[in-house]
Amino acid sequence: MTVAAVVPGSFDPITLGHLDIVRRACERFDRVVVAVLENPRKQGLFPVDERMALIRAVTDDLANLEVDRFEGLLVDFCNARGIGIVCKGLRAVSDFEYELQMAQMNHRIGGIETVFMSTSPEHSYLSSSLVKEVARFGGPLGGTVPDVVADALRDKLG
Ligand code: PNS
């Protein structure tokens, strides 16, 4: 039996924390799809196609990984693609409450299971929002995002 999982998110942009979860998911599942949310109500810094290109650029060694986009409900994407598992990283207890609610709702409305992976401690403080804030003010990005993403942030933010 082939076990497929989706790693969903905004990925605006992908951080080393995301990448760690994606890589570990690829070791545990036969097939992994990184699904980038297209949110018409939230523009973001990078357009979705640029986010996907950055994800592809830093995961091209992962043979069982696909990068895709989705709109609407994650469970609809999962069911349309034959994926039964959502895989999410948990950075801290503060993530847990909302993540648990989403996991329970996704199980209720779509029969989708959620598997949580604990974020590696060196990444537990990381978020795309914080990285963008540091980049906006010209701060150092080492250890937070892959180099290609740091370059893209500098191009975008000057
Ligand atoms: O990186 P993010 O922004 O924390 O990712 C959140 C994401 C995309 C996983 C979540 O918002 C999501 O699944 N959105 C799609 C709409 C949906 O299905 N919501 C959950 C219903 S419980």
Side-chain angles (χ1 to χ4, degrees), residues 8-11 37 70 72-74 88 102 105-106:
S10 302
F11 302 105
L37 175 67
F70 76 105
L73 290 176
L74 180 61
K88 300 288 293 279
M102 281 199 290
M105 183 63 88
N106 285 335

Side-chain angles (χ1 to χ4, degrees), residues 7-12 18 35-37 39 42 70-76 86 88 91 98-99 101-106 109 128:
V7 181
S10 302
F11 302 105
D12 184 36
H18 293 130
V36 181
L37 175 67
N39 187 345
K42 203 168 149 200
F70 76 105
E71 271 183 272
L73 290 176
L74 180 61
V75 294
D76 291 339
V86 173
K88 300 288 293 279
R91 291 170 297 191
Y98 185 52
E99 291 294 343
Q101 286 179 328
M102 281 199 290
Q104 290 169 326
M105 183 63 88
N106 285 335
I109 65 178
S128 299

Side-chain angles (χ1 to χ4, degrees), residues 28-39:
R28 298 287 165 177
F29 300 104
D30 301 306
R31 185 176 145 235
V32 174
V33 179
V34 173
V36 181
L37 175 67
E38 284 195 71
N39 187 345

Side-chain angles (χ1 to χ4, degrees), residues 97-153:
E97 199 170 345
Y98 185 52
E99 291 294 343
L100 180 64
Q101 286 179 328
M102 281 199 290
Q104 290 169 326
M105 183 63 88
N106 285 335
H107 189 262
R108 169 91 192 156
I109 65 178
I112 302 294
E113 297 289 355
T114 298
V115 170
F116 293 114
M117 282 187 182
S118 53
T119 297
S120 299
E122 66 268 32
H123 300 134
S124 61
Y125 66 97
L126 273 179
S127 71
S128 299
S129 310
L130 272 187
V131 168
K132 283 182 282 193
E133 184 155 321
V134 172
R136 228 167 243 130
F137 294 105
L141 296 175
T144 65
V145 290
D147 290 346
V148 65
V149 175
D151 291 345
L153 278 164

